[in-house]
Amino acid sequence: MSTLSEHLIGRPATTPAGQDTLPASAAGSVPPAPVPSAERLNWLRAGVLGANDGIVSVAATVVGVAGAAVDNRALVVAGIAALVAGALSMAAGEYVSVSSQRDAELTMRAHGVLAEDAELTNPWHAALASLLSFVVGGVIPLLMVLLPLGTARIPAAFGAVVLALVLTGAISAKLGGARVPRAVARNVLGGSLAMAVTYGIGSLVGLAV
């Protein structure tokens, strides 16, 4: 073992005969978990962001409309429009963003900064993951608002959205190696504020019209 290696990781324990042995604590240690590939992380990141955006965007839209009108038809039209437009917008934005990242990776590869066999991000995969997850996330508040719950549909939608935001916040924290409580609190606070503001604006518009 070189002097530098010994300095960095320490000289291994030896037996009286001079043979290298593993420390007792390392003998039963669990091997480290495999590091996710760049492509897998790309899918996961786009999926979590898409789901979170779908939950908040569609929830804010339908809750805002519910504050201005009680007509189920208006809620259906607004919810579906928000779902479709938001999903396509997220997919297009994710494609453009990841395409720019891929261009930068190709430039780095051409200049020898990135290895030739390094895995590149895929903009189509990111766009698809974002689109599908947005739809899945957006369906949650839409279905809750359309349930025949009468005056309880807004509180029910709010509760379902909060639970969904807790889940996406926890997942995003795990992926990014951040603290789960802080990420969840940030997620829930932002989504709740968006729904409260749009519902208040919708109520004011409904009274004025």
Side-chain angles (χ1 to χ4, degrees), residues 36 40-41 43-46 48 169-178:
R40 179 175 175 81
L41 289 176
W43 271 85
L44 292 174
R45 177 194 58 80
V48 171
I171 294 175
S172 63
K174 289 292 185 180
L175 293 178

Side-chain angles (χ1 to χ4, degrees), residues 11-23:
R11 184 185 298 274
T14 58
T15 62
Q19 295 177 346
D20 292 343
T21 60
L22 289 175

Side-chain angles (χ1 to χ4, degrees), residues 69-91:
V70 295
D71 183 14
N72 280 343
R73 182 178 180 183
L75 289 177
V76 172
V77 172
I80 293 177
L83 194 65
V84 174
L88 294 177
S89 176
M90 279 294 296

Side-chain angles (χ1 to χ4, degrees), residues 105-189:
E105 292 170 348
L106 290 173
T107 300
M108 294 171 64
R109 173 185 285 182
H111 288 81
V113 179
L114 195 65
E116 286 292 333
D117 58 347
E119 187 177 16
L120 303 179
T121 53
N122 190 314
W124 286 107
H125 288 176
L128 180 61
S130 183
L131 186 148
L132 294 178
S133 61
F134 186 99
V135 172
V136 172
V139 164
I140 296 173
L142 179 59
L143 291 179
M144 294 304 299
V145 169
L146 295 180
L147 289 177
L149 299 175
T151 57
R153 63 182 176 181
I154 298 302
F158 187 88
V161 167
V162 168
L163 290 177
L165 290 175
V166 168
L167 180 60
T168 57
I171 294 175
S172 63
K174 289 292 185 180
L175 293 178
R179 293 183 177 180
V180 173
R182 178 179 296 180
V184 169
R186 183 171 57 237
N187 227 25
V188 172
L189 179 61

